Amino acid sequence: MKGTRINIRGLATFVLAMTFTVLAISGTVLYFSPRGRVANWTGWSFLGIVKESWGSVHVVVALTFLAVAGLHLFLNWRVFLRYLHVPSLPGLHLKKEFAAALLLTATITAGTLQGIPPFNLVSGWGESVKDYWETDSASVPYPHAELSTVEEFAAKTGTTVDDLRAKLAAKNIDIGDGKKSVGEVAKNHGVSPQALFTKAPHNPGQGPSSGGTGMGRKTLRQVCADEGISLDTALQTLRSSGIQVEPDETMRDIAERSGKNPHELAALMKPQS
């Protein structure tokens, strides 16, 4: 029947509007969310949805938006071309407007990539928000600790599987043979990895940590100055150990890449007596 036919142009317009709304919401949530290592360790969520799921929603909806935008452009390509090529139609000869829009878009993109003010302020604010989450939350033992098996976690945090098993057994938490990942054990017991292992505290002076406070926020150059270490010697020592670094990198970034914590890196840089 004629009344039941779907207007494809109208459908595409509605889908674009709705997916744009979802993208705006998911993008805002991801902008204000903690870094992945903190979100995964603490079980951070918004509206009951964890960060990884928000990321998945954002990607899938973005792809849908692009596909439907392509369809919408295909269905309305004549109208689009008229904006550029038909001077006889009042209000539709918009070559200058097209050039201005192209220039504006290119400027925003290039300015963001180059870190030029004011474009870099947006990313700077986002980093400040993520730093707040790291300050406000208990420190993550080391990057993606939730993916480690319990055995690996115990070894990296200065304890043993038997010690963890005994302490958690008192709380009715079974870690089995230690072969399961920390995240899996936590999920099986309905808690975050952080909540699981705060019941069995690890030695914070051991394993790798990439915390966002203290030494982790300082650059390699600053740490060398504070510790009285020659920058050239530190660079040579770290690079000879297979750790590629630059003087103005933060210790946190170097720690994440090398699998060590900032204090271990500082100890490695110090001349051996």
Side-chain angles (χ1 to χ4, degrees), residues 10-246:
L11 176 62
T13 300
F14 285 130
V15 172
L16 284 176
M18 293 176 186
T19 51
F20 174 81
T21 301
V22 175
L23 285 175
I25 294 172
S26 61
T28 301
V29 170
L30 291 172
Y31 180 82
F32 287 105
S33 67
R35 294 184 177 90
R37 60 175 178 270
V38 175
N40 294 338
W41 183 251
T42 61
W44 181 90
S45 65
F46 180 72
L47 298 180
I49 303 172
V50 298
K51 180 175 181 176
E52 184 177 358
S53 295
W54 276 111
S56 297
V57 168
H58 194 74
V59 170
V60 172
V61 174
L63 292 175
T64 303
F65 180 88
L66 290 174
V68 177
L71 174 63
H72 191 272
L73 184 61
F74 173 77
L75 294 173
N76 296 280
W77 66 274
R78 290 184 179 178
V79 175
F80 181 77
L81 291 179
R82 285 168 64 188
Y83 276 97
L84 301 175
H85 294 300
V86 184
S88 61
L89 295 178
L92 293 179
H93 188 49
L94 302 177
K95 292 182 180 180
K96 292 181 180 179
E97 288 78 2
F98 176 82
L102 180 61
L103 179 61
L104 178 61
T105 302
T107 300
I108 294 173
T109 302
T112 302
L113 291 174
Q114 295 298 320
I116 300 173
F119 309 107
N120 62 345
L121 295 178
V122 177
S123 58
W125 292 333
E127 288 299 306
S128 296
V129 172
K130 295 184 187 309
D131 285 342
Y132 161 78
W133 284 112
E134 296 197 11
T135 303
D136 191 58
S137 304
S139 61
V140 182
Y142 55 91
H144 300 295
E146 75 282 353
L147 300 179
S148 298
T149 65
V150 175
E151 283 184 345
E152 294 169 338
F153 181 85
K156 290 183 177 181
T157 55
T159 186
T160 66
V161 174
D162 289 338
D163 187 36
L164 287 177
R165 182 181 291 109
K167 291 178 179 178
L168 291 175
K171 304 293 184 179
N172 296 319
I173 295 177
D174 179 20
I175 63 173
D177 59 3
K179 302 296 185 183
K180 292 182 180 179
S181 71
V182 169
E184 186 178 359
V185 172
K187 183 177 180 180
N188 289 343
H189 291 84
V191 297
S192 68
Q194 179 190 47
L196 177 68
F197 284 101
T198 50
K199 298 176 182 179
H202 64 272
N203 184 345
Q206 300 294 326
S209 174
S210 59
T213 59
M215 185 178 290
R217 289 190 178 186
K218 295 181 180 180
T219 64
L220 176 62
R221 189 189 303 277
Q222 291 172 326
V223 171
C224 286
D226 292 345
E227 300 291 330
I229 304 171
S230 166
L231 178 59
D232 290 337
T233 300
L235 288 170
Q236 182 178 357
T237 301
L238 292 174
R239 288 169 179 169
S240 65
S241 299
I243 304 172
Q244 297 303 312
V245 296
E246 296 298 331

